[in-house]
């Protein structure tokens, strides 16, 4: 018996729907605050956006356990430690492959560490972090599966730094041939465009759980699962669970929150100023707000101390009592109350309060306008009709830059402007798109002062690229940008302390060294620290395998997340 045509249509429709449901992609939706990354090359990325996406594409030999911070294998099958940690022998897994099907080998490790980093093909701040007393680790091939890492001196965080991502030797060398780069200078120049944002996603050879699928400039970044990813779940299922991640751009946190509430993203970090509102909407919009404790990051205000700054500003900014007066003029308690709704602590050192290396002995700077004025008067600054002048009768006025899209930093800048007006100083707040702002900082020129934050960690040496005088992120005085840079005595002392700090395995001794480092920063104020906020994350309840960890948020591994449609 033949079915009527309308019944045939219904059967066809139901079968089609059944097939669609069976093949429906599992998509994780997320937010991206800001603009496009500048590169997908993890060795040269120097802004948080680029670093974030590049790090998702590549893996290192080890990683940190999100609950204990213990170092555990990643691309490595195992590791052995000898001679007080001065030698580490790593054995690679045999089931690891690049996304193009080539095996990940010891030769890739040697190429990354020796050719790209040690030989400086990659102009990378990683070299600052990985060196001890100016000496880069020696990396040697033992066999096709084993490689040794050695340092001349004890290097306390050495094992942790084996998390440095590994790049594909065969693909980088292919790129050099494509660019006709044969000499060192040509390769160094070419490497700056390796994996730039114009690279076709299909040409990016990577090792992470996700591959770049599409970059739609100013709109979204799409990543897809890597079918060759080596990690499997306890039942032997291939990871990641989701087929794609869609990162949709938002220019500020407000628009990102609207996207989250509209189910256009499934997780979002929120600032303390939004916590009360978002807590009240949890049930209505079916999500959970997690309090994650003190942030590992820091917020600070600083002056450009480089010789790129013209007179008379150079003299003002390099006057230590001037900087100290600025620190005493700032009302950190008001920032905590008004910017972070009381969910933060005033910060006075380079290490966040959550760090075991935090120097709690340093007294907090309380706002004291009268004392700030005395400090300025000692340096021959003059107050006339409520306006501050230097001894040559120059009115004290400067520009203060921060990045757009971060309302907290914009409000901090406004508070600093108001605080310093009490000293008769005119501050011109200027807000720039993030990448443009970072560009100014890396060049070390064309700006007077700034407000920004840096992501932190538990290991002080992670900041070596900021604090060592020749570090690429030596924000307050970028030496490489100047014809006649000046290295101050306290900068040299910091160099010494950072070299010494990694040469002891005794925590108490390291703590003493880094306490002294923080004391130097506290006394000389190259960066003026402001506040350390609490951190919060919202997660939609349709996500599975979400758990609160001590060190890696509520989504420690994206490849373990499942999405209920």
């Amino acid at each position: 018996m033949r079915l009527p045509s309308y019944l045939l249509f219904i059967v066809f429709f139901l079968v089609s729907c059944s097939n669609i449901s069976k093949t429906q992609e599992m998509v994780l939706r997320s937010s991206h605050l800001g603009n496009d990354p500048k590169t997908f090359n993890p060795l040269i990325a120097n802004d948080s956006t680029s670093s974030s996406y590049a790090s998702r594409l590549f893996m290192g030999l080890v990683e940190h356990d999100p609950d204990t911070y213990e170092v555990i294998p990643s691309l490595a099958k195992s590791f052995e430690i000898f001679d007080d940690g001065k030698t580490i022998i790593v054995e690679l897994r045999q089931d690891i492959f690049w996304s193009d099907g080539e095996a990940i080998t010891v030769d890739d490790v040697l190429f990354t560490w020796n050719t790209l980093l040690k030989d400086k093909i990659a102009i990378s701040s990683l070299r600052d972090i990985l060196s001890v007393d100016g000496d880069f680790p020696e990396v040697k091939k033992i066999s096709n599966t084993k490689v040794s890492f050695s340092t001349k001196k004890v290097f306390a965080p050495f094992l942790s730094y084996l998390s440095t991502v590994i790049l594909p030797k065969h693909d980088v060398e292919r790129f050099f041939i494509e660019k006709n780069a044969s000499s060192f200078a040509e390769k160094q120049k070419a490497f700056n465009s390796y994996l730039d944002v114009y690279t076709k996603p299909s040409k990016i050879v990577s090792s992470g759980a996700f591959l770049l699928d599409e970059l739609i400039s100013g709109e979204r970044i799409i990543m897809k699962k890597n079918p060759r990813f080596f990690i499997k779940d306890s039942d032997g299922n291939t990871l990641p669970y989701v087929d794609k991640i869609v990162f949709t751009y938002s220019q500020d946190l407000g628009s990102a929150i609207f996207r989250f509430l509209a189910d256009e993203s499934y997780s979002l970090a929120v600032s303390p100023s939004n916590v009360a509102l978002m807590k009240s909407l949890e049930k209505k919009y079916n999500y959970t707000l997690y309090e994650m404790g003190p942030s590992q990051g820091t917020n600070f205000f600083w002056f450009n101390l480089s010789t790129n700054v013209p007179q008379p500003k150079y003299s003002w900014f390099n006057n230590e009592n001037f900087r100290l007066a600025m620190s005493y003029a700032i009302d950190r308690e008001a920032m905590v109350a008004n910017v972070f709704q009381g969910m933060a602590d005033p910060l006075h050192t380079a290490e966040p309060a959550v760090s075991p290396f935090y120097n709690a002995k340093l007294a907090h700077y309380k706002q004291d306008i009268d004392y700030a004025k005395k400090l300025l008067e000692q340096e021959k600054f003059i107050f006339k009709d409520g306006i501050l002048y230097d001894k040559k009768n120059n009115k004290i006025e400067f520009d203060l830059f921060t990045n757009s899209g971060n309302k907290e930093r914009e409000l901090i800048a406004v508070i600093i402007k108001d605080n310093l007006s009490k000293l008769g100083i005119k501050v011109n707040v200027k807000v720039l798109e993030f990448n443009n702002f970072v560009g100014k900082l890396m060049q070390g020129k064309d700006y007077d002062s700034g407000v920004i934050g840096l992501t932190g960690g538990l290991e002080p040496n992670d900041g070596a690229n900021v604090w060592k005088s020749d570090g690429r992120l030596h924000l307050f005085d970028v030496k490489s940008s100047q014809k006649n840079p000046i290295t101050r005595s306290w900068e040299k002392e910091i160099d010494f302390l950072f070299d010494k700090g990694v040469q002891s395995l005794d925590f108490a001794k390291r703590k003493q060294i880094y306490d002294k480092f923080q004391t130097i920063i506290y006394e000389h104020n190259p960066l003026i620290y402001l506040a350390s906020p609490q951190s919060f994350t919202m997660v939609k309840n349709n996500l599975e395998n979400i758990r609160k960890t001590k060190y890696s948020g509520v989504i420690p591994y994206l490849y373990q997340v499942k999405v209920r449609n």
Side-chain angles (χ1 to χ4, degrees):
M1 181 180 71
R2 296 182 62 184
L3 291 173
S5 59
Y6 73 89
L7 288 178
L8 285 171
F9 175 79
I10 292 174
V11 171
F12 174 79
F13 177 79
L14 291 174
V15 170
S16 298
C17 289
S18 175
N19 289 336
I20 290 172
S21 64
K22 289 179 182 178
T23 60
Q24 187 174 23
E25 288 185 323
M26 187 186 293
V27 180
L28 176 63
R29 303 188 182 280
S30 188
S31 287
H32 166 82
L33 281 174
N35 294 286
D36 294 332
K38 299 165 73 174
T39 181
F40 290 108
N41 184 335
L43 296 189
I44 65 171
N46 53 36
D47 64 278
S48 59
T49 298
S50 299
S51 296
S52 174
Y53 287 104
S55 65
R56 291 187 176 100
L57 297 176
F58 296 92
M59 302 190 73
L61 297 173
V62 302
E63 60 184 342
H64 287 97
D65 183 282
D67 299 299
T68 66
Y69 212 65
E70 177 187 1
V71 176
I72 56 177
S74 182
L75 293 178
K77 177 183 178 181
S78 62
F79 52 81
E80 294 181 277
I81 302 172
F82 304 93
D83 193 19
D84 290 331
K86 287 189 286 187
T87 297
I88 303 173
I89 295 178
V90 175
E91 182 175 3
L92 264 64
R93 299 174 63 114
Q94 294 300 289
D95 58 347
I96 49 178
F97 296 89
W98 296 109
S99 56
D100 63 357
E102 293 283 334
I104 300 174
T105 69
V106 167
D107 290 336
D108 295 308
V109 178
L110 296 174
F111 181 75
T112 299
W113 280 74
N114 290 340
T115 303
L116 297 180
L117 291 172
K118 182 179 181 180
D119 293 346
K120 300 184 181 180
I121 291 292
I123 303 173
S124 174
S125 58
L126 277 170
R127 204 175 187 285
D128 304 328
I129 296 172
L130 297 173
S131 298
V132 189
D133 250 356
D135 290 324
F136 194 82
E138 187 177 67
V139 185
K140 290 183 177 181
K141 183 175 184 176
I142 296 176
S143 70
N144 289 332
T145 60
K146 289 187 176 182
V147 59
S148 71
F149 296 81
S150 301
T151 57
K152 294 179 181 179
K153 300 179 179 179
V154 170
F155 188 21
F158 192 23
L159 179 60
S160 292
Y161 290 159
L162 297 191
S163 61
T164 300
V165 297
I166 304 302
L167 292 192
K169 178 177 186 284
H170 69 286
D171 189 64
V172 178
E173 289 182 335
R174 172 204 59 78
F175 181 78
F176 287 156
I177 293 172
E178 180 183 297
K179 295 295 182 181
N180 295 315
S182 55
S183 70
F184 171 81
E186 290 168 340
K187 289 179 179 179
Q188 190 179 60
K189 181 179 179 181
F191 192 72
N192 282 328
S193 61
Y194 178 66
L195 304 186
D196 65 18
V197 294
Y198 304 105
T199 305
K200 290 182 179 180
S202 60
K203 293 190 69 175
I204 296 180
V205 177
S206 52
S207 60
F210 295 93
L211 311 175
L212 183 65
D213 189 35
E214 188 176 12
L215 166 62
I216 303 174
S217 182
E219 293 185 19
R220 67 182 66 90
I221 293 174
I222 302 173
M223 290 186 167
K224 62 183 179 181
K225 70 186 297 180
N226 179 359
R228 293 191 170 91
F229 188 57
F230 65 94
I231 296 179
K232 294 178 171 55
D233 67 13
S234 58
D235 295 323
N237 297 313
T238 300
L239 297 175
Y241 291 119
V242 301
D243 299 290
K244 287 187 177 181
I245 308 178
V246 179
F247 299 92
T248 303
Y249 288 24
S250 295
Q251 292 306 307
D252 53 51
L253 183 57
S255 58
I257 288 174
F258 281 118
R259 289 184 185 279
F260 176 80
L261 297 178
D263 288 333
E264 292 180 26
S265 70
Y266 300 153
S267 65
L268 183 67
V270 291
S271 61
S273 59
N274 298 111
V275 166
L277 172 63
M278 302 319 298
K279 187 67 179 175
S280 70
L281 298 175
E282 267 185 314
K283 291 184 179 179
K284 181 177 180 179
Y285 289 94
N286 194 32
Y287 63 84
T288 302
L289 177 68
Y290 294 87
E291 180 180 351
M292 303 308 299
S295 168
Q296 293 183 20
T298 55
N299 294 288
F300 51 87
F301 159 54
W302 83 101
F303 292 100
N304 186 352
L305 306 186
S306 78
T307 56
N308 292 322
V309 177
Q311 291 287 11
K313 291 178 180 178
Y314 178 82
S315 295
W316 307 340
F317 301 163
N318 279 276
N319 184 306
E320 292 196 358
N321 272 343
F322 178 87
R323 298 198 301 271
L324 183 59
M326 300 305 104
S327 189
Y328 271 108
I330 292 172
D331 191 345
R332 293 171 176 81
E333 284 73 19
M335 286 184 184
V336 167
N338 297 319
V339 178
F340 302 107
Q341 306 303 303
M343 288 175 278
D345 293 300
L347 186 64
H348 305 269
T349 82
E351 296 299 313
V354 70
S355 169
F357 292 97
Y358 173 71
N359 187 349
K361 296 178 182 178
L362 298 175
H364 285 196
Y365 284 114
K366 298 285 186 180
Q367 187 186 41
D368 190 334
I369 298 297
D370 290 337
Y371 184 61
K373 288 182 176 180
K374 288 180 180 178
L375 289 169
L376 293 170
E377 287 170 346
Q378 287 176 24
E379 302 301 321
K380 309 302 181 184
F381 288 89
I382 304 164
F383 294 92
K384 292 188 296 187
D385 300 323
I387 297 174
L388 184 66
Y389 296 85
D390 66 14
K391 59 185 178 183
K392 294 183 179 180
N393 209 37
N394 295 300
K395 185 167 67 174
I396 310 303
E397 177 180 349
F398 58 83
D399 297 332
L400 173 61
F401 287 86
T402 194
N403 62 287
S404 60
N406 189 310
K407 296 301 180 184
E408 290 178 350
R409 288 181 194 156
E410 292 179 23
L411 184 53
I412 286 172
V414 171
I415 290 174
I416 291 174
K417 174 185 173 73
D418 178 68
N419 290 164
L420 299 192
S421 70
K422 297 174 182 178
L423 294 177
I425 298 172
K426 183 179 180 183
V427 177
N428 306 307
V429 174
K430 298 192 174 183
V431 179
L432 291 181
E433 182 274 324
F434 183 77
N435 284 340
N436 289 337
F437 182 38
V438 170
K440 281 186 179 291
L441 307 189
M442 296 304 296
Q443 293 171 15
K445 59 182 69 174
D446 299 328
Y447 81 95
D448 296 334
S449 65
V451 170
I452 203 171
L454 290 176
T455 54
L458 304 180
E459 170 53 55
N461 194 64
D462 289 352
N465 57 340
V466 174
W467 289 110
K468 283 195 170 183
S469 59
D470 60 352
R472 293 193 70 240
L473 289 179
H474 198 59
L475 293 175
F476 56 89
D477 195 356
V478 181
K479 308 296 186 187
S480 61
S481 71
Q482 304 170 66
K483 292 181 179 179
N484 299 298
I486 297 171
T487 301
R488 302 156 188 85
S489 59
W490 53 264
E491 285 184 278
K492 293 176 182 177
E493 189 173 2
I494 290 173
D495 289 344
F496 170 76
L497 291 172
F498 266 81
D499 286 335
K500 188 177 179 182
V502 296
Q503 293 175 34
S504 173
L505 297 178
D506 184 284
F507 174 80
K509 290 181 179 178
R510 297 192 78 210
K511 177 72 166 63
Q512 189 176 33
I513 291 167
Y514 291 119
D515 276 355
K516 188 172 183 180
F517 149 67
Q518 291 172 73
T519 300
I520 293 171
I521 302 308
Y522 179 84
E523 292 174 348
H524 297 277
N525 290 290
L527 302 183
I528 299 172
Y529 286 89
L530 303 171
S532 178
Q534 300 287 313
S535 57
F536 301 86
T537 301
M538 304 185 295
V539 181
K540 289 286 186 177
N541 293 331
N542 67 329
L543 298 191
E544 296 180 359
N545 294 339
I546 300 300
R547 63 185 181 86
K548 186 175 177 179
T549 66
K550 188 173 183 179
Y551 299 108
S552 301
V554 293
I555 307 179
Y557 300 113
L558 279 172
Y559 56 76
Q560 291 181 342
V561 174
K562 290 183 178 179
V563 181
R564 292 193 305 272
N565 294 313

